Amino acid sequence: MPSVSKAQIQAQDDAVYQAIIGEEKRQKEGLELIASENYVSPAILEALGSVFTNKYSEGYPGKRYYGGQTFTDQVEALAIERAKKIFGADHVNVQPLSGAPANVAAYFAVLEPGDTVLGMDLSHGGHLTHGHPVTYIAKLYNFIRYKTTAEGLIDYEEIERMAREHKPKLILVGYSAYSREIDYERIKKIADEVGALTMADIAHIAGLIAAGEMNNPVPIFDLVTTTTHKTLRGPRGGMIMCKAHLAKAVDKSVFPGFQGGPHENNIAAKAIAFGEVMTDDYKKYAQQIRKNAKVMEEELRNLGFKLMFGGTDNHLLLIDVTSKGATGKEAEWALDEAGITVNKNMIPDDPRSPMDPSGIRIGTPAMTTRGMKEDEMRQVSKWINEAILGKDDPTTLERIKNEVKEMCERFPVPGIE
Ligand SMILES: *Cc1c(COP(=O)(O)O)cnc(C)c1O
């Protein structure tokens, strides 16, 4: 695979060059299981480094505040058209700088301070931007939190009961650590009954939805926000899709309501990513992400791990590691020592703390981009078990690290020689 040139950086700034080279080596030699990460194509890396980074283009295609917009208009219109086609959206805004700003801009588009929002509890899979008390957004709106059932599934009856009781202005679905399918039709029915708007945050699963591997909320919901850098495999960034009746409010909310100039180099990279998503290769990729997750589910269950939500329908698994004599923090550390990157994560109603929770979250998108398939997933599952059980044994962790490195050499990372 071609690598992206760093010759100018090397000649000009050795300190930064060394950091980039170090990161390339880390990405190449280690096994990336963080469910929200992925590897972009060399074309996307090039677009991010393009001269579009020089340009101010406040406003939208055809309606800008500065001159010289022929090509920024072209590239932004292209990104919008492609995204509309992929998801079947009435309207798309590709300017949000990332997932969190996309969510904030979406709230600003439809809510007044003090309005009530019904969203999922963070420990049950929700995101910080869905009203966690540590965020400023939680000071602005009245967030009410629903939870999953004891079996770990979304409790639609509870959502219905809470919606009737609290009469929210907005009902929010879409999660960071939830591994099951979502019934958008059912949520929409509840929302219609109480007169609430609907918003889905598909940051994690957008790529699976784009490829037809999971239910698509875009034709059903009022607002759909996403990142572009997780399963969608584009540059770091955000996007808002909405029904026609909210188009003006969303655009005004993103700019000038919340952000300044858009990052057109990122938007060019988003356009390229959407072009990739429309190919058959990407469809196969999305299918393989799910197959790989399913194999890890089976394998880890057979190894005695407790899987939250009873398993997975998407690209991720939330695993309670305490039955293996480790905390989430210890498991994350041991796996890091063994060359496997995961993140510690709260499990539903976790009795432990966020900095040392009971679980870890793993995902298959990055490994799948490298071309790893079912056989590798079985091997990785065994390593996870061995590393967690061997957390106090440096020899075991060192041995796994060498085996991981050996396997990774067979699966190149796009853009890294
Ligand atoms: C990742 C994520 C976000 C935030 O995206 P950033 O790009 O990190 O700001 C928002 N919502 C959900 C559900 C996410 O998983």
Side-chain angles (χ1 to χ4, degrees):
M1 242 174 263
S3 68
V4 174
S5 173
K6 293 168 289 294
Q8 298 296 328
I9 305 173
Q10 185 176 18
Q12 183 176 322
D13 195 325
D14 190 58
V16 172
Y17 179 73
Q18 291 307 329
I20 294 174
I21 292 297
E23 177 63 11
E24 285 194 347
K25 186 166 145 61
R26 188 193 70 78
Q27 292 193 11
K28 203 165 65 171
E29 292 181 356
L31 208 47
E32 187 55 71
L33 268 69
I34 294 181
S36 50
E37 293 190 11
N38 215 328
Y39 305 105
V40 299
S41 68
I44 289 171
L45 289 175
E46 283 181 0
L48 287 170
S50 71
V51 293
F52 277 125
T53 199
N54 297 334
K55 188 72 195 112
Y56 249 111
S57 46
E58 288 173 337
Y60 292 98
K63 300 172 290 229
R64 308 276 194 185
Y65 287 82
Y66 296 85
Q69 306 292 350
T70 309
F71 304 105
T72 49
D73 277 6
Q74 263 175 31
V75 85
E76 189 168 337
L78 194 60
I80 291 167
E81 273 321 301
R82 288 179 180 174
K84 279 168 88 168
K85 197 160 167 202
I86 290 167
F87 291 97
D90 288 356
H91 181 76
V92 175
N93 187 308
V94 293
Q95 293 191 3
L97 301 176
S98 212
N103 283 347
V104 174
Y107 297 147
F108 285 171
V110 297
L111 299 174
E112 294 299 325
D115 277 349
T116 297
V117 182
L118 183 56
M120 199 201 266
D121 190 274
L122 183 73
S123 82
H124 292 240
H127 189 259
L128 282 170
T129 54
H130 299 181
H132 193 277
V134 299
T135 63
Y136 290 123
I137 278 301
K139 296 186 183 23
L140 205 51
Y141 306 118
N142 173 35
F143 280 92
I144 311 280
R145 275 170 281 281
Y146 58 90
K147 297 183 172 197
T148 56
T149 62
E151 293 76 41
L153 300 177
I154 294 177
D155 191 343
Y156 294 96
E157 271 156 39
E158 176 71 359
I159 294 177
E160 187 164 32
R161 192 193 61 71
M162 290 179 83
R164 283 177 183 155
E165 182 185 335
H166 298 284
K167 298 264 182 289
K169 179 102 172 268
L170 183 69
I171 300 181
L172 189 50
V173 303
Y175 317 106
S176 297
Y178 186 68
S179 51
R180 290 303 192 182
E181 187 54 280
I182 301 166
D183 187 346
Y184 301 104
E185 301 274 7
R186 186 146 179 206
I187 298 283
K188 172 73 176 152
K189 240 178 95 184
I190 296 169
D192 284 347
E193 187 198 308
V194 301
L197 290 167
T198 44
M199 172 167 154
D201 176 352
I202 58 170
H204 261 263
I205 55 175
L208 300 175
I209 292 169
E213 287 290 305
M214 294 192 79
N215 294 342
N216 182 7
V218 176
I220 305 167
F221 271 35
D222 296 298
L223 287 157
V224 177
T225 59
T226 185
T227 62
T228 48
H229 51 272
K230 298 182 183 177
T231 49
L232 212 46
R233 209 165 63 180
R236 305 202 79 74
M239 175 161 87
I240 303 176
M241 295 172 271
C242 66
K243 291 284 177 210
H245 72 101
L246 293 174
K248 269 214 178 85
V250 163
D251 282 354
K252 271 171 68 181
S253 177
V254 173
F255 175 86
F258 186 51
Q259 292 185 177
H263 296 186
E264 293 291 345
N265 57 323
N266 259 72
I267 290 173
K270 285 174 188 173
I272 293 174
F274 300 152
E276 292 176 5
V277 166
M278 292 163 133
T279 63
D280 283 342
D281 273 355
Y282 186 87
K283 281 205 175 57
K284 285 191 203 116
Y285 164 65
Q287 284 162 4
Q288 192 65 44
I289 288 177
R290 287 186 68 211
K291 278 188 206 159
N292 284 352
K294 217 61 197 167
V295 169
M296 289 194 81
E297 172 191 324
E298 276 165 32
E299 209 61 28
L300 290 167
R301 187 182 288 124
N302 290 341
L303 289 165
F305 282 97
K306 184 175 175 203
L307 308 176
M308 310 317 295
F309 315 120
T312 183
D313 298 321
N314 58 21
H315 62 298
L316 69 80
L317 284 160
L318 184 59
I319 307 163
D320 181 351
V321 292
T322 55
S323 66
K324 294 279 179 178
T327 67
K329 185 178 164 187
E330 288 167 346
E332 179 189 289
W333 178 86
L335 287 163
D336 231 344
E337 290 293 301
I340 300 173
T341 314
V342 306
N343 63 282
K344 57 183 178 293
N345 211 106
M346 302 275 272
I347 60 169
D349 292 323
D350 203 322
R352 305 186 57 85
S353 72
M355 286 314 287
D356 192 8
S358 302
I360 57 170
R361 187 189 65 168
I362 65 169
T364 56
M367 289 190 291
T368 308
T369 293
R370 293 180 82 154
M372 295 175 189
K373 295 207 162 88
E374 288 85 341
D375 283 348
E376 287 75 33
M377 295 305 113
R378 287 186 198 99
Q379 181 58 60
V380 173
S381 304
K382 288 197 190 87
W383 283 330
I384 289 174
N385 188 42
E386 288 170 6
I388 292 174
L389 292 176
K391 68 178 171 24
D392 301 317
D393 174 17
T395 325
T396 298
L397 300 179
E398 186 64 26
R399 189 230 340 132
I400 298 170
K401 186 173 188 152
N402 287 327
E403 290 173 4
V404 164
K405 195 174 152 196
E406 214 169 280
M407 186 183 88
C408 285
E409 275 164 12
R410 290 191 284 124
F411 297 94
V413 172
I416 305 178
E417 208 121 77

